[in-house]
Amino acid sequence: MSSILNQESIEKIIELCSNKSLYICFTCIIRYSNLREIFMLNDHNDLLTFCKERLSNKNLLNILEKRFINDENKLCQSCLDLLNAEYMMIKAKEIAGHVSTTKFTIDEFQLHICLPFILTLRHLYFCKLFELNPEKVINVKDVIKTFITIPIEKAIQAQHSTTGNYVIELKFDHSQSTMECEKLMQTCQRNVFSPKRFKSSSIVNHAAICRLFENPNNQIVKQFELASIETVCTLDVCISREPIYIAGRYRKLSRNLSQTPWFVNDGNRFKSSVQEKIFSGVTAYIKYSDIKFSSSGREDVDVRMLGTGRPFLIEIINPHWSNDDNNIIAKIKEFINQTHQDVQVRDLQFVPRNESQKLLKEGEQEKSKTYQAICCIDRPFTESDMNILNSVKDLVICQTTPIRVLHRRTLSDRHRTVHSISARPLNVDELIDPEWKEFLSHMFCISIVTEAGTYIKEFVHSDFGRTRPNIGSLLGNCRADIISLDVLEVKLDWPKVIDN
Ligand SMILES: [Zn+2]
């Protein structure tokens, strides 16, 4: 596609500015003439060469060249000199300085740019003056990105990438910003809004400024005079790392440990938790500003999580660790497993950010779970009882919301499928005391595979008849109770199994 460098529109821009004694820089003139090729060029020099090759009007070119070297030594009233070549080089060096003060070894980075309100105001003002659609004019942010990226890349010796692990955030600010925006709001709103409305919308923000300019009754260009720019923008640089995600499976071997922290009575003491114990391993090796835990479902405080464990995901916000540490996952795993007897982890691994949350939630809702429970009934457990339970196949049960969760769940009837039960009596031969033998003959162990979301305890003890059928009703209306419960398996093909 051949380039369009519109001589007439450049002339018009220069003329309209000079009529109002406004000064805009070389780059802004080209920007308002909407030369899209700007994004194919490396820097300001390229842009000047590009213009020289295509403009036939020597006089016009002369003006542009003078603006390029800024012979009047003025600051641009549109971009506040943000697009000045020299300013950009200085800022690139400043950014490199910031990078070197962090301990990050940046290989790929994203660039986030935040600009002051005054820039929005001035962009809209000049678009109105030049009778241009502000949405269609090349904006300052895109030009900054185009021209500053390469100098930053060179200065910090890293590649820019939209998926980079590090984020360099550039926050430009200008002292005139709030003052000028407020002045504009006051000047224009008097004619447009009622006094009441004027009060409520006096807060300066991007949307409010846009609304002012969109209003056709506002004669902003006539009413409002842009002040000259005396100072350049200040720059705050913030360097952070994108969150990282570590997935794994945990086994909980205690019947007195909750998955997440919870406060006891007075609200000051809180009991330790699976989450905390897993975090301890991360904290030992990675610095971060925040950390979040999620898992594929959860078990009660008194329920153990056995078998291969329950899948979990940790999100680490703004993480930081020594880059030469390749074994960090192995170290975290070892720390957790050696420090805590009641929580063990496996299959620990870094996972990509996008899919993980979704996979975890899917597992919670769709997959079946396998439990093991020690139960007892009010009479000896017989072989025929065992046969009844073993013959259960895809039994649909109805569970009215259990009493113990009624304070946080709505009251309703839910249908869940018990896929299978495998029952066996407890081995009592080793017990010598006949009283114990008598008691143990009432006890049995079941392995039970159910649809996710089934309340196992209630299926055993019936929850005062709120779960139907239940173990007691299946065994001919005896009373049944549960002594202990373990989760044996949470079926989910995520994360990848790496420890066998
Ligand atoms: Zn400018």
Side-chain angles (χ1 to χ4, degrees):
M1 198 182 83
S2 71
S3 71
I4 302 154
L5 194 58
N6 192 328
Q7 205 153 288
E8 272 170 39
S9 79
I10 295 176
E11 280 168 341
K12 187 181 152 197
I13 287 163
I14 294 172
E15 194 193 324
L16 286 168
C17 282
S18 98
N19 288 348
K20 288 191 76 75
S21 305
L22 294 166
Y23 179 86
I24 65 171
C25 70
F26 163 73
T27 317
C28 279
I29 295 173
I30 304 300
R31 187 165 68 79
Y32 284 115
S33 80
N34 235 348
L35 180 77
R36 292 273 150 195
E37 279 79 358
I38 213 166
F39 298 118
M40 325 269 264
L41 305 170
N42 283 333
D43 56 27
H44 298 76
N45 290 317
D46 280 3
L47 186 57
L48 182 66
T49 313
F50 187 92
C51 295
K52 276 184 183 166
E53 284 166 1
R54 284 160 183 87
L55 284 177
S56 55
N57 185 331
K58 293 288 160 207
N59 194 23
L60 191 60
L61 194 57
N62 192 26
I63 297 173
L64 287 180
E65 276 183 293
K66 279 184 175 167
R67 290 287 166 103
F68 181 81
I69 56 166
N70 193 11
D71 70 331
E72 292 179 67
N73 205 15
K74 283 180 178 170
L75 299 182
C76 173
Q77 282 179 281
S78 175
C79 71
L80 322 172
D81 253 25
L82 281 168
L83 300 183
N84 179 304
E86 205 180 326
Y87 178 82
M88 278 198 194
M89 294 314 285
I90 293 168
K91 292 301 147 185
K93 277 191 190 134
E94 223 175 284
I95 294 159
H98 274 277
V99 171
S100 66
T101 60
T102 69
K103 283 175 189 152
F104 293 135
T105 311
I106 300 179
D107 41 6
E108 284 189 340
F109 66 92
Q110 303 175 36
L111 202 57
H112 293 181
I113 296 174
C114 180
L115 298 171
F117 289 135
I118 186 175
L119 211 69
T120 306
L121 186 161
R122 291 191 169 226
H123 180 75
L124 294 170
Y125 181 97
F126 279 100
C127 287
K128 200 134 193 165
L129 177 67
F130 303 145
E131 295 171 320
L132 298 168
N133 179 349
E135 304 279 318
K136 292 194 174 146
V137 173
I138 296 168
N139 66 51
V140 172
K141 192 185 276 185
D142 290 341
V143 181
I144 296 181
K145 267 200 173 171
T146 308
F147 284 177
I148 210 170
T149 303
I150 292 171
I152 295 176
E153 281 183 332
K154 280 185 183 153
I156 67 171
Q157 298 195 324
Q159 287 285 312
H160 172 260
S161 157
T162 50
T163 56
N165 282 334
Y166 291 89
V167 177
I168 299 180
E169 194 185 354
L170 306 179
K171 194 171 184 301
F172 292 96
D173 219 332
H174 198 270
S175 52
Q176 250 167 285
S177 210
T178 318
M179 216 175 59
E180 178 161 303
C181 293
E182 267 168 12
K183 203 178 124 207
L184 172 81
M185 303 289 257
Q186 281 170 14
T187 313
C188 298
Q189 281 184 330
R190 260 186 212 123
N191 305 325
V192 177
F193 299 114
S194 66
K196 196 179 157 201
R197 177 76 194 274
F198 167 60
K199 251 186 195 168
S200 67
S201 56
S202 65
I203 306 155
V204 176
N205 58 37
H206 180 83
I209 297 170
C210 290
R211 267 201 309 278
L212 269 186
F213 278 90
E214 276 163 16
N215 192 317
N217 297 328
N218 264 344
Q219 301 287 314
I220 290 173
V221 176
K222 275 189 192 152
Q223 287 168 356
F224 190 72
E225 254 178 51
L226 289 186
S228 62
I229 298 294
E230 308 296 339
T231 55
V232 291
C233 288
T234 55
L235 171 63
D236 260 343
V237 184
C238 178
I239 297 155
S240 59
R241 204 183 192 285
E242 285 282 89
I244 52 165
Y245 296 85
I246 296 176
R249 290 185 176 80
Y250 74 81
R251 284 158 49 88
K252 176 171 90 85
L253 308 174
S254 162
R255 295 197 187 279
N256 189 22
L257 184 66
S258 107
Q259 195 200 52
T260 49
W262 57 298
F263 287 88
V264 192
N265 296 333
D266 54 16
N268 290 324
R269 282 178 311 127
F270 78 96
K271 293 200 120 187
S272 184
S273 63
V274 172
Q275 177 188 303
E276 249 196 319
K277 292 185 180 203
I278 293 176
F279 283 175
S280 73
V282 178
T283 311
Y285 296 99
I286 300 178
K287 287 192 187 113
Y288 51 80
S289 52
D290 200 7
I291 187 164
K292 291 171 189 165
F293 179 88
S294 41
S295 65
S296 181
R298 58 169 59 201
E299 60 286 320
D300 292 339
V301 175
D302 59 349
V303 173
R304 294 186 301 179
M305 177 67 237
L306 305 177
T308 54
R310 185 183 296 278
F312 65 89
L313 178 70
I314 305 171
E315 179 182 7
I316 305 168
I317 315 286
N318 208 358
H320 182 207
W321 72 91
S322 167
N323 266 56
D324 39 67
D325 202 342
N326 297 323
N327 272 332
I328 192 143
I329 287 288
K331 284 181 181 166
I332 292 171
K333 187 178 119 184
E334 196 180 308
F335 184 97
I336 298 166
N337 292 348
Q338 296 201 342
T339 313
H340 308 291
Q341 263 130 45
D342 46 4
V343 174
Q344 300 282 296
V345 293
R346 52 169 289 170
D347 302 332
L348 217 59
Q349 56 201 284
F350 284 121
V351 288
R353 71 185 97 144
N354 299 332
E355 294 242 313
S356 306
Q357 288 284 5
K358 205 177 120 239
L359 287 167
L360 201 62
K361 287 292 146 201
E362 268 172 21
E364 192 173 322
Q365 286 149 15
E366 288 168 19
K367 299 294 156 74
S368 67
K369 308 245 175 6
T370 307
Y371 298 86
Q372 171 182 279
I374 307 288
C375 309
C376 66
I377 48 175
D378 58 358
R379 56 169 174 76
F381 182 72
T382 63
E383 201 176 326
S384 114
D385 291 332
M386 191 168 76
N387 292 337
I388 290 170
L389 295 181
N390 286 344
S391 67
V392 166
K393 182 99 183 77
D394 294 330
L395 171 72
V396 177
I397 61 170
C398 176
Q399 299 198 294
T400 306
T401 307
I403 288 167
R404 68 186 165 97
V405 301
L406 209 48
H407 62 285
R408 57 187 163 91
R409 298 270 159 83
T410 50
L411 181 66
S412 67
D413 285 348
R414 291 185 189 82
H415 290 92
R416 292 286 185 269
T417 304
V418 175
H419 296 301
S420 65
I421 300 176
S422 158
R424 61 174 172 85
L426 288 185
N427 187 359
V428 297
D429 293 343
E430 309 98 289
L431 289 164
I432 302 149
D433 192 330
E435 263 183 61
W436 274 106
K437 248 181 198 173
E438 165 63 19
F439 180 60
L440 276 167
S441 70
H442 291 214
M443 291 165 68
F444 56 100
C445 177
I446 54 169
S447 291
I448 174 166
V449 184
T450 69
E451 183 182 344
T454 310
Y455 294 107
I456 304 298
K457 288 175 180 171
E458 281 69 18
F459 174 62
V460 176
H461 65 54
S462 94
D463 198 24
F464 302 101
R466 296 161 73 87
T467 288
R468 312 160 291 274
N470 51 65
I471 293 278
S473 71
L474 291 172
L475 298 183
N477 285 329
C478 62
R479 277 173 56 210
D481 209 345
I482 186 160
I483 293 165
S484 69
L485 181 64
D486 299 320
V487 185
L488 289 188
E489 192 184 13
V490 178
K491 274 204 184 101
L492 185 63
D493 299 331
W494 180 95
K496 199 173 67 198
V497 173
I498 44 179
D499 301 326
N500 281 311

